[in-house]
Amino acid sequence: MRNIGWLRLPLLVTYVFLYVPLVVVVVMSFNGSKQPFSWGGFSTKWYGVLFEDTAVRQGLINTLIVAVGATVIATALGTLLAIGLSRFTRSALLEAYSLTPAIIPDLALAIGLLVLFSAIGMTLGLHSVLLAHVVFGMAFVAAVVTARLGQNDPSLEEASGDLGANAITTFFKITVPTLLPAIVAGALLVFTLSLDEFVIAFFTDGPATPTLPIVIYSMVRFGVTPEINALAALLLLVSFTVVIAAQRITKLTDAV
Amino acid sequence: MASTVTQGRGAIRRRALGARAAFLGPGLLYVTAFMTIPLLLVLSYAFLTRGRFGGVELPVTLENFARALDPIYLRVLWNSILISSITTLLALLIGYPTAYAITRLPARWRTVALVLVVLPFWTNFLIRTYAWIVLLNSEGPINKTLVNWGLIDSPLELLYTRGAVIVGLLYAYLPLMILPIYASVERLDRSLLEAATNLGASKFRAFFDVTLPLTLPGTMIGAIFVFVPSLGNFIVPELLGGGKTVMIGNLIRDQFLKARDWPFGAVLALIMVLFLAGLFAAQAAVARRINGRSARA
């Protein structure tokens, strides 16, 4: 190992800063006491309370409906868009336009969609959150797939055409399979982003169908409770598992 | 013969156009319907009058813009810029050395170090902010430790302060500073540094004259990635600032969801977006200048 000497200090500061808050919440989620800040022995009872909480459960179901729907639609639209951008036009302007929803401030998109939905008289609910999540989701899929298309060998598609396959056969037998790792990565990205998305959902959701982040928001506004600690620890576990799994998958596909 | 050839060409061109429309059409239509039209609607609302029952009415007016110049609102805007700037500066001071240190790790550890940087970032934003409500609480671990060590007699008021808002934003967006700086340090042409030291520059001088300027575009991208979401954030000021620290995001949110003054909210959003667009333009200009210079060198 090269001697990095004093550079160890910023690494230490960063990782302590990033992880101490999370560790504290996880430890406190096993606190048996109802008083969040006094230790009442090790207990998993707050996880039990959490599983009984119907608001949390319904929020999770709502979030999954939106995330699955948005992922399917955004992946289809984003993949088509990426192929169109790299095969049928080389316009940098069109590409920038398609990727804008991914970089625009979420608050701007949120108020824009609220204004649109109310202007056309649409009622707000899970369907409007889904429509909203597709906008930025599609841009993320398009960005990931476009990056992959840049590395693809177009001669495969040409060979398929020369051997007599029509455009549709070539698309499904050559283009989609070679793009599959990028499409899966894009879909995973949209799914995770949609699961956690709060600001846009907060503006475009109806009061009867809160998504999980909206439920969490209404919980954390009222301060520290052992139940939120348990929920936080569970969500940490889920996202850590997903990130590490995704890391493994990309490593495997890179190796192939 | 000649006519069949031209017919064939026409058919091919028509088919190419058809394929083009099939691939590009749905996505571009979607972005237009659910991003461009909404943003144009918001823009037009900025010039309309507040409706009696929410929404907007005619006549066209510039009064909303005049209202935004009220010192109360200017102070909120200034406050937001100040808080976001301090957050960005702190992220830079921690993030640059961290990113630099990661590039110096052995290859195997580099991936682990980067994954550890982004891992918290993939956790729910509200949960990450909540962790600081716990930590900074008057009965929380920080205060308890300080009291137990006898450093303070009674708990400090850490939560619901401007400092808490800055720490919360820093915590939320620090990874966004580290990643682009890491990428630009990693890409740096090491031979330039060798050249500088061969020509007699100290390591210190080589860093400030070569490394720092050449990694400036990546650093500016990191700064924008931290500044932009900090400026528009309304969750952290609400949860960690306790309503005492109002930022422009809170103001916009309130105009749309509480006060129902959409035209004024539209003006505030417009100011925020124009300010951010100016930052992007500045970054692009600096990046062009530096790339031009290193290409010539």
Side-chain angles (χ1 to χ4, degrees), chain B residues 7 30 41 43 46 56 85 99 103 120 129 135 140-141 158 173 177 193 211 233 236 245 249 257-258 267 272 275 292:
Chain B
Q7 250 175 15
Y30 203 97
L41 273 176
L43 179 66
V56 288
S85 304
T103 64
T129 309
L135 224 59
L158 301 171
Y173 302 124
M177 177 68 89
L193 279 176
T211 309
N233 199 296
V236 174
T245 307
L257 298 183
K258 285 184 187 159
V267 167
M272 181 183 80
F275 187 82

Side-chain angles (χ1 to χ4, degrees), chain A residues 13-197:
Chain A
V13 170
T14 298
Y15 291 122
V16 166
F17 179 61
L18 287 179
Y19 285 92
V20 164
L22 305 180
V23 171
V24 166
V25 172
V26 172
V27 169
M28 283 177 56
S29 75
F30 296 107
N31 180 6
S33 163
K34 208 183 169 100
Q35 301 299 319
F37 293 110
S38 57
W39 187 251
F42 179 88
S43 160
T44 53
K45 73 173 174 193
W46 300 111
Y47 290 88
V49 172
L50 186 65
F51 287 121
E52 297 296 313
D53 191 325
T54 48
V56 170
R57 196 186 309 153
Q58 193 53 49
L60 181 63
I61 294 170
N62 292 338
T63 294
L64 286 174
I65 292 171
V66 170
V68 170
T71 303
V72 171
I73 301 172
T75 306
L77 288 177
T79 305
L80 284 179
L81 191 57
I83 296 171
L85 283 173
S86 66
R87 289 282 184 276
F88 298 107
T89 165
R90 288 268 163 202
S91 160
L93 195 69
L94 269 189
E95 186 170 332
Y97 180 66
S98 316
L99 302 185
T100 309
I103 56 160
I104 193 172
D106 49 5
L107 186 58
L109 204 53
I111 60 173
L113 286 161
L114 173 65
V115 165
L116 174 78
F117 292 148
S118 89
I120 61 175
M122 198 166 95
T123 51
L124 298 180
L126 292 183
H127 56 283
S128 45
V129 183
L130 197 156
L131 285 172
H133 280 192
V134 170
V135 190
F136 66 80
M138 181 177 67
F140 277 103
V141 173
V144 175
V145 177
T146 309
R148 172 80 200 194
L149 275 164
Q151 306 161 352
N152 256 11
D153 185 359
S155 61
L156 274 180
E157 283 169 23
E158 284 160 22
S160 161
D162 291 344
L163 292 171
N166 64 26
I168 293 168
T169 314
T170 304
F171 177 69
F172 281 105
K173 297 254 165 162
I174 307 290
T175 314
V176 170
T178 50
L179 286 181
L180 206 55
I183 296 173
V184 171
L188 261 179
L189 187 62
V190 178
F191 188 75
T192 335
L193 289 173
S194 174
L195 277 187
D196 276 349
E197 205 288 320

Side-chain angles (χ1 to χ4, degrees), chain B:
Chain B
M1 187 69 188
S3 77
T4 44
V5 169
T6 36
Q7 250 175 15
R9 269 196 202 138
I12 288 169
R13 197 173 301 148
R14 265 200 305 282
R15 210 184 303 156
L17 262 179
R20 200 178 186 168
F23 280 107
L24 289 169
L28 291 180
L29 274 178
Y30 203 97
V31 176
T32 307
F34 292 105
M35 181 193 76
T36 313
I37 291 176
L39 292 181
L40 289 176
L41 273 176
V42 173
L43 179 66
S44 68
Y45 278 25
F47 297 94
L48 291 174
T49 308
R50 174 189 186 176
R52 254 162 297 170
F53 310 103
V56 288
E57 287 176 355
L58 287 170
V60 170
T61 171
L62 285 175
E63 206 168 290
N64 307 306
F65 288 89
R67 229 183 111 195
L69 295 177
D70 187 307
I72 301 173
Y73 299 119
L74 285 181
R75 203 175 311 136
V76 172
L77 183 65
W78 167 243
N79 209 14
S80 316
I81 293 173
L82 190 70
I83 287 176
S84 310
S85 304
I86 296 172
T87 305
T88 308
L89 192 68
L90 289 173
L92 183 66
L93 290 177
I94 302 174
Y96 199 103
T98 304
Y100 192 86
I102 294 175
T103 64
R104 288 286 176 276
L105 291 173
R108 188 159 66 90
W109 287 104
R110 241 175 284 164
T111 318
V112 177
L114 284 175
V115 170
L116 283 176
V117 166
V118 293
L119 210 46
F121 191 72
W122 285 106
T123 309
N124 187 289
F125 186 88
L126 295 155
I127 292 297
R128 279 185 288 151
T129 309
Y130 169 78
W132 284 95
I133 302 184
V134 175
L135 224 59
L136 299 176
N137 212 285
S138 57
E139 302 169 68
I142 294 180
N143 266 319
K144 259 191 191 155
T145 313
L146 292 176
V147 171
N148 286 347
W149 287 356
L151 294 174
I152 50 173
D153 296 326
S154 56
L156 300 171
E157 204 170 309
L158 301 171
L159 197 55
Y160 308 135
T161 60
R162 184 186 277 198
V165 175
I166 292 171
V167 168
L169 292 171
L170 178 65
Y171 187 69
Y173 302 124
L174 180 62
L176 295 180
M177 177 68 89
I178 296 177
L179 294 182
I181 297 179
Y182 169 81
S184 65
V185 177
E186 184 72 50
R187 258 203 315 269
L188 190 70
D189 188 351
R190 290 280 148 94
S191 62
L192 290 175
L193 279 176
E194 281 166 30
T197 39
N198 288 346
L199 290 170
S202 64
K203 267 193 171 170
F204 196 68
R205 175 107 196 259
F207 177 80
F208 278 97
D209 283 356
V210 179
T211 309
L212 209 52
L214 286 177
T215 53
L216 191 61
T219 308
M220 285 186 75
I221 288 180
I224 286 179
F225 281 179
V226 174
F227 190 90
V228 170
S230 297
L231 189 70
N233 199 296
F234 64 84
I235 304 168
V236 174
E238 182 180 339
L239 295 180
L240 300 180
K244 277 191 279 177
T245 307
V246 179
M247 287 175 69
I248 189 164
N250 303 77
L251 213 50
I252 296 173
R253 193 266 316 259
D254 290 348
Q255 297 310 316
F256 276 94
L257 298 183
K258 285 184 187 159
R260 298 234 140 227
D261 189 342
W262 289 16
F264 186 51
V267 167
L268 295 171
L270 193 63
I271 292 172
M272 181 183 80
V273 169
L274 285 178
F275 187 82
L276 297 177
L279 283 184
F280 275 109
Q283 192 277 335
V286 171
R288 252 200 315 277
R289 265 191 66 185
I290 288 176
N291 287 340
R293 210 186 297 156
S294 65
R296 256 178 281 136

Side-chain angles (χ1 to χ4, degrees), chain A residues 202 216-223, chain B residues 133 160 238-239 258:
Chain A
F202 191 57
I216 296 174
Y217 173 72
S218 54
M219 288 168 85
V220 296
R221 282 175 73 191
F222 297 105
Chain B
I133 302 184
Y160 308 135
E238 182 180 339
L239 295 180
K258 285 184 187 159

